[in-house]
Amino acid sequence: MEQQLWNSVLAVREKSPLVHSITNYVVMNNTANALLAVGASPVMAHAYSEVHDMVAIAGALIINIGTLDEYWVESMKLAISQANTLGKPWLLDPVGAGATPYRNKVLQELLEYQPTVIRGNASEIMALASMSAGTKGVDSTNHTDEALDAAIQLNQAHGSVVCVSGATDLIVQEKGCLTLTNGDKLMTRVTGMGCTASALIGAFCATTTTHYFEATVAAMALMGIAGEIAAEKSPGPGSLQLHFLDTLYQINKDEFVQRVKLEEYNGGF
Amino acid sequence: MEQQLWNSVLAVREKSPLVHSITNYVVMNNTANALLAVGASPVMAHAYSEVHDMVAIAGALIINIGTLDEYWVESMKLAISQANTLGKPWLLDPVGAGATPYRNKVLQELLEYQPTVIRGNASEIMALASMSAGTKGVDSTNHTDEALDAAIQLNQAHGSVVCVSGATDLIVQEKGCLTLTNGDKLMTRVTGMGCTASALIGAFCATTTTHYFEATVAAMALMGIAGEIAAEKSPGPGSLQLHFLDTLYQINKDEFVQRVKLEEYNGGF
Amino acid sequence: MEQQLWNSVLAVREKSPLVHSITNYVVMNNTANALLAVGASPVMAHAYSEVHDMVAIAGALIINIGTLDEYWVESMKLAISQANTLGKPWLLDPVGAGATPYRNKVLQELLEYQPTVIRGNASEIMALASMSAGTKGVDSTNHTDEALDAAIQLNQAHGSVVCVSGATDLIVQEKGCLTLTNGDKLMTRVTGMGCTASALIGAFCATTTTHYFEATVAAMALMGIAGEIAAEKSPGPGSLQLHFLDTLYQINKDEFVQRVKLEEYNGGF
């Protein structure tokens, strides 16, 4: 499995997929940098007049509602429709799910388009599943394993690969789920690490036409491993962001394979 | 006083307040990172459909007009109204005050909502007070102490704590004013340092219901001290930004207390 | 020539020109930082109600269509009209030219305003000239020298100085063209390096009323030299961005003059 995950990292470096993000203002710069660091090619475009055409040339679409408004939500729907028509993978990042009724309403509408992958923290995934759990802004207040039921429910309702990220990452598909326990707590002090995870999942999904579960696991493994290597060199979050990008760019097979902490998860189904 | 200021730093770390920013595109990423580094929790949201609800769960609201347009100004007004209704502190950062008639008109409208705190550089504060002083873009062309009269005038007209930031920071309330002389000139070569100061003031104000003057002084002291520690390690502005975030995260009581350069200001009232 | 280029660097440091950018969300932060690092003063403003006034106080205008939409395109046209009326230099950065019909249509409209300078990668410049070449998102898929014909065509049609950036930078005017071969491949792994080049060209153009070709060459030489100095210290793209900003700030005459790789280009006209 570790070898297979590393092959996914290599596939991104070799194929350099174009990843189209309709994402929030806060993280556009660092998610673009993360995509470039792993070898992918980022594009951000949201105009009604071109999202249709941009999706057509991209390998995957990332939808991140962090700084949503009426214009952007409509743009997201246009782009998602096109992705579904063309059979391209798209990821939903439900930033701040549960924080406001508007956010919840929009997310319910977007879920109807059946995301290929959903990635959020535990409270976001729980809010998405129930549209009733509280959330404190964009930070997680629930533990990953508490979100397992919610992830399973979303997977069953929408057929999506569901990734709950946190100290333990949980990745759910129909056939079961895996956990990853790489990463470092200092990553929570850098804005947009979750959004970066979503962007990388998009890049990895763009290199396959069917193995979206494996692509998601590989992207999350790379996130966690690069984050923990970076954290070992970093006295604070400013340094972490720098070393994280350097590590995404530099990491080799040995570092990756030796560090991966992957397990099948038994608490579930 | 130094001990009291440090207690404010600790209060932010312990309470991790949610700070809602309606701010400019340029600085969203680094202000979010600064808030995370001090232990606060950032959220950016501007949609008409949700600002009301987001303010309700936040501890403070930051209004920064840097890249204002018609939509965003209306969003700011909706959010401020809600903050005032709920008695939550809100800060006005009048970026580029004096640069264009539109900016001045918007600022006059926002001032009527009586900001809890106003923070700007000397030329912005003077423009805000007079709506007649010239400004060269978003940089300061007046010295801090020349802005004292303007700060007093704004305090008297609106009841706001007024902070004029620069080589010397001036913080004005009804009862008098204080100066802080921490910081380093290299900080002026990093975009959004003023906006970051505003964001941190918001985080500090969110931990109190009345002591907004002390919260503002504590936030500005932390800015200046972290900036000068970072500058000592930095050959240029790229390094400064990294070390600044690391220092906000790492700084301890001894470093803070030993470095604070705080004085009551006698030139005033 | 090297001395003259260095004088341009000094002119930016001494005059600290105000550069007005209407640019994409992804790069606003790092282009603002690059402008501050070279000594210029950045302002970003796009509201219909103020672009007219902001152009009036700025020394140059940057138009970058990276994340264009209907509102922003109209704002760009208002700003450009004002720049032309006032005789101020403006630069067109045709990000993603060729990627979508909408982008091409907008670019055709903007070209009619006769940009002072156009800067793009080879595929963008070729798309701009032909509105028929394919493009893979915002990355270059054509070599710089293949774009010479396109650059000449754009120069002849619009009178613009045309800069094709890449491993070899090509700068074209009526009287001929020059190449620069500074830089490092790692620069392509940092988002917005092209956009930063455009911003710096704007700052350099703002210090002259006629010598826009020389200003463009000087800005591109500084980009390439700072990029290669930074790359020598950088294991990856995170470090590169930091050292790049530090170098823009620190670089001295000796480093600049010794490294410049400038040649007249004979393959052309």
Side-chain angles (χ1 to χ4, degrees):
Chain A
M1 184 76 180
E2 286 78 5
Q3 177 64 49
Q4 188 184 336
L5 297 178
W6 177 250
N7 288 345
S8 294
V9 176
L10 293 182
V12 173
R13 290 186 182 173
E14 282 155 21
K15 296 181 183 176
S16 190
L18 183 64
V19 178
H20 177 191
S21 295
I22 303 182
T23 188
N24 73 74
Y25 301 121
V26 184
V27 305
M28 285 186 183
N29 188 268
N30 53 311
T31 54
N33 274 327
L35 286 167
L36 287 168
V38 298
S41 187
V43 68
M44 315 267 170
H46 65 282
Y48 295 169
S49 310
E50 75 168 354
V51 287
H52 193 265
D53 297 309
M54 201 61 92
V55 171
I57 60 171
L61 172 68
I62 308 299
I63 299 295
N64 176 313
I65 66 158
T67 53
L68 83 177
D69 65 25
E70 298 76 9
Y71 184 101
W72 285 70
V73 169
E74 190 59 29
S75 171
M76 292 172 186
K77 291 178 183 173
L78 291 170
I80 295 168
S81 293
Q82 173 73 330
N84 283 345
T85 298
L86 300 176
K88 303 206 177 192
W90 71 280
L91 177 144
L92 177 63
D93 188 333
V95 179
T100 68
Y102 175 59
R103 227 159 256 258
N104 292 349
K105 174 179 155 289
V106 167
L107 286 170
Q108 283 177 303
E109 293 166 6
L110 297 181
L111 276 176
E112 290 175 16
Y113 292 86
Q114 316 294 358
T116 313
V117 184
I118 302 169
R119 189 219 58 82
N121 61 37
S123 70
E124 289 164 349
I125 294 298
M126 291 174 73
L128 204 58
S130 71
M131 291 304 170
S132 66
T135 186
K136 183 183 168 200
V138 295
D139 295 323
S140 183
T141 53
N142 298 285
H143 292 294
T144 296
D145 50 4
E146 295 175 33
L148 179 61
D149 287 345
I152 294 171
Q153 184 183 326
L154 287 168
N155 169 265
Q156 289 175 345
H158 303 287
S160 313
V161 173
V162 182
C163 173
V164 185
S165 60
T168 298
D169 300 320
L170 195 63
I171 301 117
V172 172
Q173 65 172 342
E174 292 77 9
K175 291 178 269 181
C177 80
L178 291 177
T179 62
L180 286 162
T181 48
N182 295 103
D184 189 281
K185 202 178 176 193
L186 189 57
M187 296 170 76
T188 63
R189 296 298 190 99
V190 176
T191 195
M193 273 289 173
C195 307
T196 296
S198 292
L200 295 193
I201 291 171
F204 280 68
C205 284
T207 65
T208 178
T209 51
T210 50
H211 295 98
Y212 301 126
F213 177 77
E214 290 76 9
T216 301
V217 174
M220 292 305 296
L222 180 60
M223 275 296 300
I225 293 167
E228 69 188 36
I229 291 173
E232 289 165 8
K233 303 175 185 173
S234 299
S239 298
L240 180 66
Q241 185 149 356
L242 177 148
H243 293 304
F244 176 72
L245 290 172
D246 282 359
T247 306
L248 288 180
Y249 175 76
Q250 287 186 292
I251 194 167
N252 61 36
K253 182 181 168 181
D254 285 350
E255 288 175 299
F256 184 88
V257 169
Q258 286 166 17
R259 281 186 183 257
V260 173
K261 293 184 197 159
L262 180 73
E263 284 185 45
E264 289 191 49
Y265 193 71
N266 302 310
F269 49 116
Chain B
M1 184 76 180
E2 286 79 5
Q3 177 64 49
Q4 187 185 338
L5 297 179
W6 178 249
N7 288 345
S8 294
V9 176
L10 293 181
V12 174
R13 291 185 181 173
E14 283 155 19
K15 296 181 184 176
S16 189
L18 183 64
V19 179
H20 178 192
S21 295
I22 302 182
T23 187
N24 74 73
Y25 301 121
V26 184
V27 306
M28 286 186 182
N29 188 268
N30 52 312
T31 54
N33 275 326
L35 286 168
L36 287 168
V38 298
S41 187
V43 68
M44 316 268 169
H46 64 282
Y48 295 169
S49 311
E50 74 168 355
V51 287
H52 192 267
D53 296 310
M54 201 62 90
V55 170
I57 60 171
L61 173 67
I62 307 299
I63 299 295
N64 175 313
I65 67 158
T67 54
L68 83 176
D69 66 25
E70 299 77 7
Y71 185 102
W72 285 70
V73 169
E74 190 59 29
S75 172
M76 291 171 186
K77 291 178 183 174
L78 291 170
I80 295 168
S81 294
Q82 171 74 331
N84 283 346
T85 298
L86 300 177
K88 303 205 178 193
W90 71 279
L91 177 143
L92 177 63
D93 188 333
V95 179
T100 69
Y102 175 59
R103 227 159 257 256
N104 292 350
K105 174 179 155 289
V106 166
L107 286 170
Q108 283 177 304
E109 293 166 5
L110 297 182
L111 276 176
E112 291 175 17
Y113 292 87
Q114 316 294 357
T116 314
V117 184
I118 301 169
R119 189 219 58 83
N121 62 36
S123 70
E124 289 163 349
I125 294 297
M126 291 175 71
L128 203 59
S130 70
M131 290 305 168
S132 67
T135 186
K136 183 182 170 201
V138 295
D139 295 324
S140 182
T141 54
N142 299 283
H143 292 294
T144 296
D145 51 4
E146 295 174 33
L148 179 61
D149 286 345
I152 293 171
Q153 184 183 327
L154 286 169
N155 170 264
Q156 289 175 345
H158 303 288
S160 313
V161 173
V162 182
C163 173
V164 185
S165 60
T168 298
D169 301 319
L170 196 61
I171 300 117
V172 172
Q173 65 173 343
E174 291 76 9
K175 289 177 271 181
C177 81
L178 292 176
T179 62
L180 285 162
T181 48
N182 294 102
D184 189 280
K185 203 178 175 193
L186 189 56
M187 295 169 77
T188 63
R189 296 300 190 97
V190 176
T191 193
M193 274 289 173
C195 307
T196 296
S198 293
L200 295 193
I201 292 172
F204 280 67
C205 285
T207 64
T208 177
T209 51
T210 49
H211 296 98
Y212 300 126
F213 177 77
E214 291 76 9
T216 302
V217 174
M220 292 306 295
L222 180 60
M223 274 297 300
I225 293 168
E228 69 187 38
I229 292 174
E232 288 165 8
K233 302 175 184 174
S234 299
S239 297
L240 181 67
Q241 184 150 358
L242 177 148
H243 292 303
F244 176 71
L245 290 172
D246 282 359
T247 306
L248 288 181
Y249 175 76
Q250 286 185 294
I251 194 168
N252 61 37
K253 182 181 169 182
D254 284 351
E255 288 175 299
F256 184 88
V257 170
Q258 285 166 17
R259 283 185 181 257
V260 174
K261 293 184 196 158
L262 181 72
E263 283 186 47
E264 288 191 51
Y265 193 70
N266 301 312
F269 50 115
Chain C
M1 185 76 181
E2 286 78 5
Q3 177 63 50
Q4 188 185 336
L5 296 179
W6 178 249
N7 288 345
S8 294
V9 177
L10 293 181
V12 173
R13 290 184 182 173
E14 282 155 20
K15 296 181 184 177
S16 189
L18 183 64
V19 178
H20 178 191
S21 295
I22 303 183
T23 187
N24 74 73
Y25 301 122
V26 185
V27 305
M28 287 185 181
N29 188 267
N30 53 311
T31 55
N33 275 326
L35 286 167
L36 287 168
V38 298
S41 187
V43 68
M44 315 269 169
H46 65 283
Y48 294 168
S49 310
E50 74 168 353
V51 286
H52 192 267
D53 297 309
M54 201 61 91
V55 171
I57 60 170
L61 172 67
I62 308 299
I63 300 294
N64 175 311
I65 67 157
T67 53
L68 83 176
D69 65 26
E70 299 76 9
Y71 184 102
W72 285 70
V73 169
E74 190 58 29
S75 171
M76 291 172 186
K77 291 178 183 173
L78 291 170
I80 295 168
S81 293
Q82 171 75 330
N84 282 346
T85 298
L86 300 177
K88 304 206 178 193
W90 71 279
L91 177 143
L92 177 63
D93 187 334
V95 179
T100 68
Y102 176 59
R103 228 159 255 257
N104 292 350
K105 175 179 155 288
V106 167
L107 286 170
Q108 283 177 303
E109 293 167 6
L110 297 181
L111 277 176
E112 290 176 17
Y113 292 86
Q114 316 295 358
T116 313
V117 184
I118 302 169
R119 191 219 57 84
N121 62 37
S123 70
E124 288 164 348
I125 295 297
M126 293 175 71
L128 203 59
S130 71
M131 290 305 170
S132 68
T135 186
K136 184 183 169 198
V138 295
D139 296 324
S140 183
T141 54
N142 298 284
H143 292 294
T144 296
D145 50 3
E146 294 175 33
L148 179 61
D149 286 345
I152 293 171
Q153 184 183 326
L154 286 168
N155 170 264
Q156 290 175 345
H158 304 287
S160 314
V161 173
V162 181
C163 173
V164 185
S165 60
T168 298
D169 301 319
L170 195 63
I171 300 116
V172 172
Q173 65 171 342
E174 292 76 7
K175 292 178 267 180
C177 80
L178 292 176
T179 62
L180 285 162
T181 48
N182 295 103
D184 187 280
K185 202 177 175 194
L186 189 57
M187 295 169 77
T188 63
R189 296 300 190 99
V190 176
T191 194
M193 273 289 173
C195 307
T196 297
S198 292
L200 295 192
I201 291 172
F204 280 68
C205 285
T207 65
T208 178
T209 51
T210 49
H211 296 99
Y212 300 126
F213 177 77
E214 292 75 9
T216 302
V217 175
M220 292 305 295
L222 180 60
M223 274 297 299
I225 293 168
E228 69 188 36
I229 292 174
E232 289 165 8
K233 302 176 185 174
S234 299
S239 298
L240 180 67
Q241 184 149 358
L242 177 147
H243 293 304
F244 176 71
L245 290 171
D246 282 359
T247 307
L248 288 180
Y249 174 77
Q250 287 185 292
I251 194 167
N252 62 36
K253 183 182 169 182
D254 284 351
E255 288 175 300
F256 184 88
V257 169
Q258 285 166 17
R259 282 185 182 257
V260 173
K261 293 185 196 158
L262 181 72
E263 283 185 47
E264 288 192 48
Y265 193 70
N266 301 312
F269 52 116

